[in-house]
Amino acid sequence: MGNKTVLVSGGAGFIGSHVTVELAQAGYDVVMADNFSNCDETNYRGVCAILGRDLPLVRMDFCDEARVKALFAEFHIDAVIHFAAFKAVGESVREPLKYYRNNLLSFMNILENVRKIGGNVLFSSSATVYGEPDRLPVTEESPLQPATSPYGNTKQMCEDILRDSVKAYSGLRGIALRYFNPIGAHPSALIGELPRGVPNNLVPFITQTAIGKRACLSIFGNDYPTPDGTCLRDYIDIVDLAKAHVCAVTRMLEGRMDNAYEIFNIGTGRPVSVMELVNAFEKVNGVEINWQFAPRRAGDVTAVWADPSLACGKLGWKAERSIEETLAAAWAWEKKLANLA
Ligand code: WQD
């Protein structure tokens, strides 16, 4: 019997490209599909360079129902990992319909095809579904909070759509992975995050400030009820995160799921403050970041970090890379981009 084939929608993006590499290295055949609406071919080329061979790449929009159907006719797909979605929180508040249309329709088009073959779907969800948790760390049983942005709402809605579909269509299995804060880059510095315009997320803003693309990093809020007054997050290395997908897909394909629909937190279990992260970046990379305290950013929660013990027990996965290794990789990637530019 040949290798199992995994379709990675949004495969040329930050998370999708790292997941593709780990899947291929674990022996899966991977079909990468992307509409390149929010990235160029840098990561696709990087994936091929890391693997030393070209992978099938399909240029397509998962909102195009006929195109998705044709894709499933063309390839025998054993599992789908779905990343193809918009992800900018602020933009989603300004353009909610763009977010609901793209993020929900693309996922439903995939499910419509997977359910017919009794297949497996892994959905990329987010710790954003927990909002500001009452108790920390958060487990998969922690209550969900109403979403504070259309982006966050699409994550919750897609989880609901997957859960209801798995319940209704026999043979369909689903896993939702709730990511905490994915950061870093591949140790090869051949793939990484490629934010367009001014980065919203902390680590790309740090690396762009360090390289001189941004004048100054604003640390949003120093009056939070945390040890140093800055927010606490669970920063998960992108390669560790990618490996969790291999564990989850393998669990599905080997029929080891306890339930046809499962949810796992993917984080380190280690809270790190914004200030600690900036200091660690400076220390490990021997660079200085020009930073200043700024007012709190609207919509930010004070603290959120994972209890990853379910993923550890059921998926046999845990985060392995240190924050220092991760921040060194993020810096190596930014320097690589500067040379490319
Ligand atoms: C982390 C911390 C900021 C930028 C968001 C989404 C989430 C997920 C990941 C993905 C916060 C602080 C940031 C800056 C700062 N979405 N910060 N200065 O907000 O935890 O999660 O990204 O696609 O759904 O909500 O991540 O990296 O934006 O912020 O001080 O310039 O860094 O206030 O405390 P966040 P982040």
Side-chain angles (χ1 to χ4, degrees):
M1 211 178 78
N3 295 339
K4 298 278 186 189
T5 300
V6 182
L7 167 67
V8 180
S9 79
F14 174 43
I15 303 180
S17 58
H18 287 81
V19 168
T20 298
V21 167
E22 295 304 317
L23 285 168
Q25 289 180 338
Y28 287 105
D29 288 340
V30 186
V31 177
M32 294 171 86
D34 213 300
N35 67 356
F36 294 94
S37 68
N38 194 33
C39 64
D40 60 20
E41 287 190 15
T42 306
N43 279 334
Y44 172 66
R45 286 195 301 269
V47 166
C48 298
I50 292 167
L51 298 174
R53 63 192 160 93
D54 285 350
L55 287 190
L57 170 70
V58 184
R59 287 166 194 282
M60 60 173 287
D61 188 336
F62 281 87
C63 291
D64 181 341
E65 200 176 342
R67 187 68 194 84
V68 182
K69 195 173 174 195
L71 179 79
F72 276 82
E74 190 181 343
F75 293 94
H76 173 88
I77 292 164
D78 296 291
V80 181
I81 306 184
H82 178 58
F83 295 109
F86 295 146
K87 61 169 188 174
V89 178
E91 185 189 45
S92 79
V93 175
R94 292 189 302 276
E95 295 189 68
L97 293 179
K98 174 176 169 180
Y99 274 67
Y100 287 118
R101 184 183 306 278
N102 185 63
N103 293 8
L104 301 184
L105 198 55
S106 59
F107 192 45
M108 288 190 290
N109 284 340
I110 285 172
L111 286 173
E112 200 61 74
N113 286 278
V114 178
R115 77 173 177 93
K116 289 182 192 144
I117 53 173
N120 303 282
V121 176
L122 196 159
F123 175 64
S124 55
S125 190
S126 167
T128 193
V129 300
Y130 297 117
E132 179 88 68
D134 294 332
R135 281 208 219 139
L136 288 160
V138 292
T139 72
E140 291 77 0
E141 304 298 314
S142 297
L144 306 190
Q145 307 286 343
T148 54
S149 71
Y151 160 76
N153 209 17
T154 65
K155 291 294 175 195
Q156 291 202 4
M157 293 167 91
C158 285
E159 282 196 10
D160 290 344
I161 290 168
L162 182 56
R163 189 200 56 233
D164 291 344
S165 300
V166 163
K167 205 187 292 171
Y169 305 119
S170 69
L172 179 66
R173 286 166 298 277
I175 290 182
L177 298 183
R178 291 179 179 157
Y179 312 146
F180 283 67
N181 288 58
I183 63 164
H186 196 267
S188 65
L190 289 167
I191 54 175
E193 205 166 355
L194 288 160
R196 288 202 165 157
V198 183
N200 292 310
N201 295 118
L202 179 59
V203 169
F205 209 105
I206 289 176
T207 57
Q208 290 196 6
T209 307
I211 207 110
K213 270 175 91 173
R214 309 278 155 212
C216 184
L217 166 75
S218 290
I219 294 183
F220 299 134
N222 63 343
D223 58 351
Y224 283 99
T226 61
D228 66 18
T230 65
C231 293
L232 297 170
R233 294 288 183 276
D234 185 333
Y235 296 95
I236 172 76
D237 182 272
I238 187 67
V239 176
D240 279 337
L241 179 91
K243 288 180 173 162
H245 295 72
V246 178
C247 297
V249 158
T250 305
R251 178 177 171 85
M252 284 178 151
L253 292 173
E254 290 182 352
R256 288 191 277 110
M257 294 173 75
D258 296 332
N259 299 294
Y261 176 56
E262 295 181 330
I263 299 171
F264 296 101
N265 283 344
I266 304 298
T268 66
R270 183 180 60 209
V272 173
S273 77
V274 176
M275 202 66 257
E276 284 173 324
L277 195 87
V278 172
N279 291 337
F281 184 91
E282 291 187 290
K283 191 164 167 216
V284 70
N285 293 316
V287 291
E288 260 189 43
I289 311 282
N290 188 22
W291 64 265
Q292 63 184 13
F293 286 126
R296 291 181 178 196
R297 183 172 70 176
D300 274 343
V301 299
T302 303
V304 59
W305 68 93
D307 176 345
S309 49
L310 192 67
C312 190
K314 300 279 184 190
L315 299 180
W317 170 88
K318 73 173 182 355
E320 281 170 352
R321 285 158 67 82
S322 68
I323 194 89
E324 286 78 17
E325 281 174 284
T326 305
L327 293 173
W331 181 226
W333 168 246
E334 186 67 59
K335 285 193 289 187
K336 178 79 183 299
L337 285 179
N339 292 339
L340 288 178

